[in-house]
């Protein structure tokens, strides 16, 4: 069985070593926080959900976001996607 060990300074003061599930979680968050094409020399790295932030919240947009999230998770062989659930809400201003 493989043992995964990495390095992270995110929110850390002393110990910068991350292992196993913590490392996998940090790696996934790094991909999700990076806009696709933003990383130099790695145009395929990142997540395309940032393209849908100001799009209307309809079924086509939800499907596109879910498809993109499935693609990102499938790139990491350490992850197995069990399911995706989407929630929508409406915001009403009292002004």
């Amino acid at each position: 069985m493989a043992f995964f060990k990495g390095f992270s300074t995110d929110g850390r003061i002393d110990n910068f070593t991350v292992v196993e599930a913590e490392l996998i979680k940090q790696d996934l968050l790094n991909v999700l926080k990076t806009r696709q094409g933003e990383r130099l020399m790695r145009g395929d790295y990142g997540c395309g959900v940032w393209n849908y932030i100001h799009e209307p919240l309809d079924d086509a947009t939800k499907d596109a976001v879910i498809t993109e999230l499935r693609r990102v998770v499938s790139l990491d062989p350490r992850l197995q996607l069990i399911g995706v659930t989407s929630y929508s809400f409406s915001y009403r201003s009292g002004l």
Side-chain angles (χ1 to χ4, degrees):
M1 184 169 155
F3 178 74
F4 300 104
K5 184 176 180 180
F7 176 82
S8 176
T9 59
D10 190 28
R12 298 173 180 280
I13 296 172
D14 295 339
N15 187 5
F16 300 118
T17 303
V18 289
V19 294
E20 295 296 324
E22 187 181 358
L23 174 63
I24 296 168
K25 178 181 171 183
Q26 186 65 47
D27 289 345
L28 180 61
L29 287 173
N30 287 341
V31 175
L32 292 174
K33 291 177 183 179
T34 304
R35 185 183 291 268
Q36 191 169 13
E38 180 179 355
R39 190 164 177 189
L40 186 63
M41 306 289 285
R42 294 273 316 266
D44 59 335
Y45 184 84
C47 186
V49 297
W50 300 100
N51 300 332
Y52 303 106
I53 288 179
H54 298 291
E55 296 296 318
L57 187 59
D58 57 9
D59 289 336
T61 305
K62 285 181 188 178
D63 291 341
V65 169
I66 290 171
T67 301
E68 179 61 17
L69 292 175
R70 286 182 187 272
R71 183 194 69 81
V72 168
V73 170
S74 72
L75 294 175
D76 194 336
R78 302 170 295 179
L79 297 173
Q80 178 182 8
L81 185 65
I82 296 172
V84 178
T85 304
S86 71
Y87 299 96
S88 61
F89 63 91
S90 62
Y91 175 76
R92 294 183 187 202
S93 175
L95 301 176

